[in-house]
Amino acid sequence: KKVSSLGATVAELECVQCVKAVMNSRAGMEAMSRSGDDLLVVVDVLEAGSPVVKKQVVELLAGLVLYSQAGARTVMRALRSFQRAKRHRYLLRFAVSDLG
């Protein structure tokens, strides 16, 4: 497991809060539903982020999945891309590995 410094964790949380602010509007949700590239940056935090940051990212992804079918498809594409890039065998390995 990677250990993040306090400064890195705070910076990641601030970035996630910015994304959350964008997604707090219909226009922001629509934009994130269609923008796979932006979502890839958010999903990438799942690898390096602290458990607190990962929880925030998972909540953002869940909100996007619930928002629309386009959002759900975008989240799944981003998670599959993350899985391939990190060579994880299982799609949700990042979540399960933090449970133990």
Side-chain angles (χ1 to χ4, degrees):
K1 287 186 178 181
K2 295 182 181 180
V3 178
S4 297
S5 70
L6 180 59
T9 299
V10 170
E12 289 169 348
L13 274 172
E14 287 178 3
C15 289
V16 171
Q17 292 302 321
C18 289
V19 173
K20 188 180 275 190
V22 167
M23 290 175 62
N24 204 20
S25 69
R26 181 184 283 285
M29 290 296 280
E30 290 293 329
M32 290 302 285
S33 293
R34 292 187 306 266
S35 178
D37 292 340
D38 294 337
L39 202 56
L40 285 174
V41 174
V42 174
V43 169
D44 199 45
V45 173
L46 294 170
E47 180 70 15
S50 73
V52 173
V53 175
K54 288 180 184 182
K55 179 182 176 284
Q56 293 287 313
V57 170
V58 169
E59 287 175 2
L60 290 175
L61 297 176
L64 201 51
V65 166
L66 293 173
Y67 179 72
S68 68
Q69 288 182 348
R73 284 190 298 271
T74 301
V75 167
M76 290 306 296
R77 276 194 304 270
L79 287 174
R80 285 189 190 107
S81 177
F82 176 77
Q83 177 189 19
R84 283 190 302 274
K86 303 303 178 187
R87 299 177 188 241
H88 291 171
R89 182 174 179 183
Y90 301 106
L91 184 62
L92 299 176
R93 178 178 174 264
F94 67 89
V96 176
S97 65
D98 282 345
L99 294 175

